[in-house]
Amino acid sequence: MTDLLILVDPTAATFELTDLTAAQLPVTDLSAHRGDGIFETVLVSMGAHGATVVSRQRHFTRFRASASALDLPDPDQGLWDRVIDSLIAEVAAADPGIVEFGIRYALSRGEQGADGEFRPRGWAFPVTVDDHIRSAREQGVTAVSLDRGFEAYIGSKAPWLLIGAKTLSYAVNQAAGRYAAANDADEALFVSHDGIVLEGPTANLLIRRGDRLLTPNPDAGLLSGTTQRLIFDHAEVLGLQAEYADLRLQDVKDADGAWFVSSMRTAVALRELDGNAISVDQRLTERFQEIVRGR
């Protein structure tokens, strides 16, 4: 499974299956040295009636919004649907017993030709649900809070910061993860310079306060989460009232439950923040995971 790769030519609306381990990307591609591109990661759940791509439309809607924010060509949904479906078929054929896996798909601005025009390039490959992900689902995670370096709601004043676009420029997110690990934590939790809780480097935050399920407002300076919105869709069934709210660190520490939610990890309990234990709602954690995995 790990050797599969689909290369996409968005201009010609074509794609081809190739080998992930072979050289594919020229160093002149702007994704390689400028991070000039976008991506999404979807969870694929395999069942008796075939494959389900979790929040497929939400992911693609965000993919298109990210492309618009970066002035990239508008992605062709029909093309990318065929890419995803073809990759699912290849994975299922290679591993008939597989239960779940991810697909990461990306669009780069590509290379600039002699005529000054750019040649966009796309790709997609499968991502394994590994032991690290399974452990986080089962045991929860700890986190340290980190200053994101800007005030909340700055995106409305500085759209060039691309807040809310899912770009390939993930160096800051990776650095935050390394900082957390160096400080004996599993995750980081970004907080705005004026104290508003935002998100994790690769996940959104949810907290429960009584019968209210709360998450930071995406406009505050974070990526609008597909998994967060899927869970919000089911909040009423769970007996919860879903709301967007400005949260402070103390709100998270005092919560009746807190979770990092993302496509691959589904929902993992945040059991400690900055050395402070947080209540763990195991029943709700399991329900969130079932909802996201479609079970």
Side-chain angles (χ1 to χ4, degrees), residues 204-227:
N204 290 104
L205 176 78
L206 301 178
I207 71 169
R208 181 176 70 81
R209 184 187 295 157
D211 63 355
R212 299 168 67 202
L213 189 62
L214 306 172
T215 196
N217 186 339
D219 292 340
L222 57 136
L223 189 69
S224 180
T226 58
T227 304

Side-chain angles (χ1 to χ4, degrees), residues 7-16 76 78-80 82-83 120:
L7 290 180
V8 184
D9 183 341
T11 304
T14 60
F15 61 90
E16 61 176 329
D76 178 347
L79 170 64
W80 287 97
R82 293 195 300 275
V83 167

Side-chain angles (χ1 to χ4, degrees), residues 6 20 54 88 124-125 153 157 180 187 199 248 263 266 271:
I6 289 182
L20 182 64
V54 179
I88 290 172
F125 58 89
Y153 297 96
K157 297 181 288 185
E187 293 284 348
E199 61 186 340
R248 301 278 177 172
S263 298
T266 64
R271 52 185 173 80

Side-chain angles (χ1 to χ4, degrees), residues 65-102:
S66 296
S68 177
L70 271 68
D71 294 321
L72 290 169
D74 186 31
D76 178 347
Q77 183 163 1
L79 170 64
W80 287 97
D81 278 345
R82 293 195 300 275
V83 167
I84 291 170
D85 291 340
S86 295
L87 195 52
I88 290 172
E90 293 290 341
V91 171
D95 187 354
I98 195 166
V99 175
E100 60 179 349
F101 61 96

Side-chain angles (χ1 to χ4, degrees), residues 145-150 189-194:
S145 59
L146 302 181
D147 191 327
R148 190 64 176 87
F150 54 70
L189 176 61
F190 286 134
V191 181
S192 71
H193 199 54
D194 48 344

